[in-house]
Amino acid sequence: MPIESINDFVVRFANVNGSGSASANQLFAKSVMRMGVPVAPRNIFPSNIQGLPTWYEVRISEAGHRGARGGTDMMVAMNPQTWDKDVASIEPGGYLFYDSSRPIQDSKFREDIVVLGLPLTNICNREFTDPRQRNLFKNVMYVGALAALLDMDMAEIEKLIAEQFRAKEKLIASNHKVLRMGYDIARETFQCPLPMRVRRADRVGDMIFVDGNTAGGLGAVYGGATVCAWYPITPSTSLAEAYERYCARLRVDPDTKKKKYAIVQAEDELASIGMVIGAGWNGSRAFTATSGPGISLMQEFLGLAYFAEIPAVLFDVQRGGPSTGMPTRTQQSDILLAAYASHGDTKHVLLFPEDPHETFEMGAQAFDLADRLQTPIFVMIDLDIGMNQHLCKPFKWDDTRAYDRGKVMSAADLDAAKDWGRYLDVDGDGIPYRTYPGTHPTKGVYFTRGTSRDRYARYTEEAAPYVDNMERLLHKFETAKTIVPQPVLTKAAKPTRLGVIYYGSTAPSMSEAADKLAAEGTHVDLLRVRAFPFSSEVTDFIAAHEQVFVVEQNRDAQLRTLLMAECSIDPAQLVPVLNFDGNPITARFISKAITDHVARMQARSPKVLS
Amino acid sequence: MSYLAKPKFHHPAIETNDLGFTHRDYEGSISTLCAGCGHDSISSAVMRACFELSLPPHRIAKLSGIGCSSKTPTYFLGQSHGFNSVHGRMPSVLTGANLANRDLIYLGVSGDGDSASIGFGQFAHSIRRGVNMVYIVENNGVYGLTKGQFSATSDQGSKSKRGVVNTDSAIDLVATALQLGATFVARSFSGDKTQLVPLIKAAIEHRGAAFIDCISPCVAFNNHEGSTKSFDYVRDHNAALNRLDFITGREPITAEYDPGTTQVVRMHDGSMIRLAKLGADYDVHDRIAAMNNLHTRQADGEIVTGLIYMADESSDLHDHLGTINQPLNELNAPELSPGAKTLESINAALR
Ligand SMILES: Cc1ncc(C[n+]2csc(CCOP(=O)(O)OP(=O)(O)O)c2C)c(N)n1
Ligand code: SF4
Ligand SMILES: [Mg+2]
């Protein structure tokens, strides 16, 4: 039986990297969104530039499920290299759309799927002479054919094409023509639409469709970053590029054409973080964007920034490690690396945005926190958030919002102060007052070093001032708990002794999994952790539940380790649920893991759990 | 090492500069380096240069890496902010600091281990970028702080204190800086204050990356016979190209100089330096000739010192990046946040 579904299915495109399919696939996804139906697209791409297989998966979900679902209902198979695997991955009753220009043996198909072939290459070869056009238009043509098959609104697609090519009338016209060609020939060849189709809805509202790296770069612009030093690394590169793009538009003085920002592509990540620290020391808001290997290289400097108390912001767009690992796949595997970065006793503040909306928000907030706490702040996203477009709440900014520049002494403050010492804890919150170089001719000068010093920044190797300083840093970390983003609690419909802790890109799949579990009678309270150090809400939540699942995307249960170590939690109370194969975690995976565990618990003591 | 605190009284006849500061206003804490260490002489040259240029100390930022040499910023300019960063990474920290506030004077102090070994990459890239700074390497050919290992500037064939012969070829930071496009390159000797002080002054006035390789004998580990960085060896092999005379006050040059032996050089800010040439026909503006001269005389066993090269025109990283004139660290939300209305239009484009 062919799959019947309205607004709830997954289309997967199998393409060759560099064939120009990306913009056509995006056009498809965006058209569905313009019909008011939520989409969640994901790129699955290799670490190369041209020739290797790539996939683009579009989950269409009127219910608004934005996590990866797993499985494919319709495969658009445009890559002969991966044909066998692609065909095999289609759900029974699913659809295979392919280019039938070259004959394919019967044995290469499946009995239990619907096969839809159109000779796209032949048509393009017939219609166009330019080899580049022949290739590119094949992609637009399949979008037209899908529009017919899935009952999509051609007017929306045409409008998107017009927006994409703006004033280039000739390009718009030719793309429209090819789109229509694909549409018409599909209607002539097949019975359109299919039982699986898109229907206009009203579930998108004012949401925006954007990738997390763009959001992070824009967050840095709004957050007041003026210095960006970075070294290219997938999947973080597009964050620095987005910052540059927005700055070029929004941060150039209209009269002088001079820039209110400085971007340096450094020679490596050591230099990137060195520049960020130098700029932070000198009173600019500065950041870097990198991924795990970069954070590894920055370790010594991060210890310096922690100990010398210098603000810095790092966007860590996590990928599969260790070493080069899976550079184009997603993971949350830098948690411990970042939390305890550097030698000696160090701890760092981490933020865990769940999507591009929060990446913008926390990206901007990170600069306030860095200035307030005078320490590095890590914005921990991952490839899934960073490089895939997500439907999310629109970005928000309050024009009355001033930057919190933290405790900085002006020349007047210094004149008024009785006794200033760089590392004096005047307010009892562990946060000292600093000065920018050059502020006052005779006051507020101090020497910054990674070597121990007393409260007046005087070099000393004495035990007591060293201990005093290290304890104050710990006290400052306690203060951090109260000002970082607090966790978000979602109570189950019924009282339950089961809790779930999760963070970052796991969020959409987790809420879908919770719905699924609830429908099956398993109720779980949810706590989405948004920052490290953990506030008391996190420990209270754990204390209030008998078993707490900690869902993450790494092998070693890194956040669970952090919870055990920092909150003295009994390991037996925290059940790891771990996906680390490089693909985004799915609701299916989470709900199965939880269901299986609950079943095992019930087998042991049948009465306990609801 | 001296443990006696210097008395702070002010002699009425004591020399003051244009700002009314005395030399004492440019001092730092008492040095903890070995008595006789070359690095201490460089510190005094820095103080002297800043005093003579009448620089307000608080407008200078002094940054360093790790090493005996990198410790020295504590011992000069006590009214300047200082930053002792990590080993070999001063250049990146200085670059970032400079990006944040282009109005301060940046003094980077490093050692030969700091700049030619662990930090060779950062040294090279900061020079390439033309960061506006004075970059001084206090070059003793050893790792002083870790007790006498060879550094990458130790000459091939030179002997360590324990008698081990260095078999690796040396990195010449001056040649490297020239190749990398430094717009001001000099070499000097900690024992030659008359040469060093005007060089530092000229380097401060220069806009762009000004590099000074200053040979600075380590009395504890590299001042023995067989070393090519000892006081005796450097004195015997020093081949000074020119004598520098820094003309302050920016007054027009009135005196006539014999063009064969004197060259007057205009600095970026309009001030002048007068170079008394010691070698024949040496043109400080000719980079290729400078490189040639350096290599030829080095092959003859000479250590070329003086102002080796200065570009006719120079620019710095801020010029290259096109940043605004106001220091970036002075900007706040009104100048930096594009505002809610703009954000709404960005949202609209993402639907
Ligand atoms: C990452 C790191 N590795 C090693 C050291 C140890 N160390 C400190 S100073 C130094 C060498 C300094 O040599 P140089 O820069 O020539 O300075 P000098 O003491 O000779 O003036 C070394 C290897 C360190 N501080 N950091
Ligand atoms: S060990 Fe050498 S470089 Fe270090 S202070 Fe002593 S003399 Fe100077
Ligand atoms: Mg040395």
Side-chain angles (χ1 to χ4, degrees), chain A residues 319-395:
Chain A
R319 64 188 215 179
S323 192
T324 310
M326 295 200 290
T328 61
R329 304 300 151 107
T330 197
Q331 266 183 4
Q332 299 176 315
S333 52
D334 297 343
I335 307 300
L336 290 172
L337 170 76
Y340 298 128
S342 208
H343 54 282
D345 292 319
T346 50
K347 295 186 206 221
H348 302 284
V349 175
L350 318 182
L351 310 182
F352 304 115
E354 65 166 342
D355 65 0
H357 172 84
E358 270 193 356
T359 305
F360 172 82
E361 197 172 285
M362 293 188 189
Q365 189 188 3
F367 292 94
D368 280 355
L369 289 171
D371 269 347
R372 170 67 32 193
L373 294 165
Q374 300 174 24
T375 200
I377 307 287
F378 291 74
V379 184
M380 304 294 288
I381 57 171
D382 57 23
L383 183 142
D384 185 30
I385 294 176
M387 289 191 70
N388 290 317
Q389 291 174 303
H390 299 257
L391 206 55
C392 60
K393 281 187 286 177
F395 302 137

Side-chain angles (χ1 to χ4, degrees), chain A residues 77-78 83 96-100 102 104 109 115-118 120:
Chain A
M78 300 298 291
W83 174 275
L96 168 68
F97 178 90
Y98 76 107
D99 181 356
S100 62
R102 277 200 301 173
I104 293 173
F109 294 95
V115 177
L116 309 157
L118 283 183
L120 300 173

Side-chain angles (χ1 to χ4, degrees), chain B residues 39 68-69 111-114 138-145 151 153 218:
Chain B
H39 298 349
C68 297
S69 37
D112 44 317
D114 207 54
E138 307 190 342
N139 185 354
N140 54 15
V142 281
Y143 291 0
L145 195 61
S151 87
T153 65
C218 167

Side-chain angles (χ1 to χ4, degrees), chain B residues 111-126:
Chain B
D112 44 317
D114 207 54
S115 278
S117 296
I118 190 167
F120 196 41
Q122 295 217 338
F123 156 75
H125 289 279
S126 66

Side-chain angles (χ1 to χ4, degrees), chain A residues 34 206 209 222 251 258-260 267 270-271 275 278-279 282-284 301 395 397 399 403 435 438 442 445 448, chain B residues 58-59 79 81-82 84 89 96-97 106 122 129 321-322 324-325 329 333 335-337 339-340 343 347 350-351:
Chain A
R34 288 282 178 94
D206 69 346
F209 187 59
Y222 273 79
R251 284 270 199 83
K258 293 214 172 165
K259 297 171 179 168
K260 287 187 257 180
E267 59 270 30
L270 280 81
M275 290 179 201
N282 214 1
S284 265
F301 255 134
F395 302 137
W397 188 259
D399 281 335
Y403 297 150
T435 55
T442 55
V445 151
T448 304
Chain B
H58 76 291
R59 302 300 294 171
Q79 283 308 316
H81 265 72
N84 215 176
R89 318 293 173 201
Y106 292 92
Q122 295 217 338
R129 292 190 182 100
L321 294 175
I324 56 164
N325 296 334
N329 70 353
E335 300 89 15
L336 297 177
S337 159
L343 194 57
N347 280 329
L350 296 170
R351 289 187 176 119

Side-chain angles (χ1 to χ4, degrees), chain B residues 129-283:
Chain B
R129 292 190 182 100
V131 179
N132 190 13
M133 61 178 171
V134 178
Y135 190 135
I136 302 180
V137 169
E138 307 190 342
N139 185 354
N140 54 15
V142 281
Y143 291 0
L145 195 61
T146 51
K147 299 187 183 290
Q149 300 82 3
F150 283 125
S151 87
T153 65
S154 309
D155 289 306
Q156 202 168 34
S158 70
K159 234 187 237 158
S160 79
K161 202 172 173 185
R162 276 177 293 153
V164 182
V165 175
N166 175 34
T167 52
D168 298 347
S169 58
I171 289 175
D172 182 346
L173 290 172
V174 164
T176 314
L178 282 170
Q179 197 277 325
L180 291 167
T183 44
F184 182 108
V185 181
R187 173 144 53 211
S188 193
F189 174 42
S190 65
D192 186 356
K193 233 183 206 167
T194 35
Q195 183 190 48
L196 183 55
V197 172
L199 274 177
I200 295 174
K201 286 163 70 180
I204 290 173
E205 296 290 312
H206 177 77
R207 184 161 81 181
F211 176 68
I212 303 175
D213 177 27
C214 190
I215 299 170
S216 173
C218 167
V219 292
F221 301 109
N222 207 11
N223 198 30
H224 48 272
E225 188 153 344
S227 155
T228 57
K229 299 273 192 297
S230 66
F231 279 109
D232 288 345
Y233 186 92
V234 179
R235 278 198 194 100
D236 288 349
H237 296 78
N238 190 344
L241 290 170
N242 38 40
R243 279 277 162 218
L244 223 68
D245 187 3
F246 197 91
I247 307 161
T248 46
R250 276 135 231 183
E251 72 273 18
I253 311 283
T254 47
E256 285 292 314
Y257 298 111
D258 175 358
T261 60
T262 313
Q263 187 176 5
V264 175
V265 176
R266 181 181 288 274
M267 303 297 294
H268 173 81
D269 65 346
S271 56
M272 304 281 183
I273 48 175
R274 183 176 57 213
L275 283 173
K277 294 187 187 181
L278 300 181
D281 293 335
Y282 190 80
D283 177 6

